[in-house]
Amino acid sequence: MDAGSIALMIPIAAILSGAVVKIYKLRLNSGVDGPSNDILSRLDAMEQEQAALRQELPEAQERLDFTERLLANHSDRRLPPQP
């Protein structure tokens, strides 16, 4: 998988996980009974994973930008013929 695909998938995963967390929180707030400990721990884990993805996104974008600049600088050079 190339860097562009990974860089595109990170924000999509973060958005989706954020939406899932919000939906669960809405369901929990509308329920009569309090949320179970299992659900709360799962929500916390999802929020932590989302935060980690948000931290990884700028690094992936920086790597993609670097790769694009590198390719643009070397686009005028020809590769040697492969045997």
Side-chain angles (χ1 to χ4, degrees):
M1 195 174 287
D2 65 340
S5 297
I6 293 172
L8 180 63
M9 289 172 29
I10 290 173
I12 291 171
I15 291 168
L16 290 176
S17 64
V20 169
V21 168
K22 286 181 182 181
I23 290 170
Y24 275 123
K25 284 185 177 181
L26 287 173
R27 282 187 176 177
L28 292 176
N29 290 336
S30 66
V32 177
D33 296 336
S36 69
N37 289 336
D38 179 51
I39 292 175
L40 290 175
S41 65
R42 290 171 66 187
L43 280 174
D44 288 339
M46 289 182 72
E47 288 175 337
Q48 290 173 0
E49 184 176 351
Q50 180 185 15
L53 288 172
R54 287 181 188 255
Q55 289 176 351
E56 290 176 14
L57 177 60
E59 182 182 338
Q61 289 174 333
E62 186 177 326
R63 288 181 178 194
L64 178 61
D65 291 343
F66 173 77
T67 304
E68 288 174 345
R69 286 192 306 270
L70 189 65
L71 289 173
N73 289 340
H74 296 295
S75 64
D76 56 344
R77 296 183 186 174
R78 294 198 169 240
L79 295 175
Q82 297 293 327

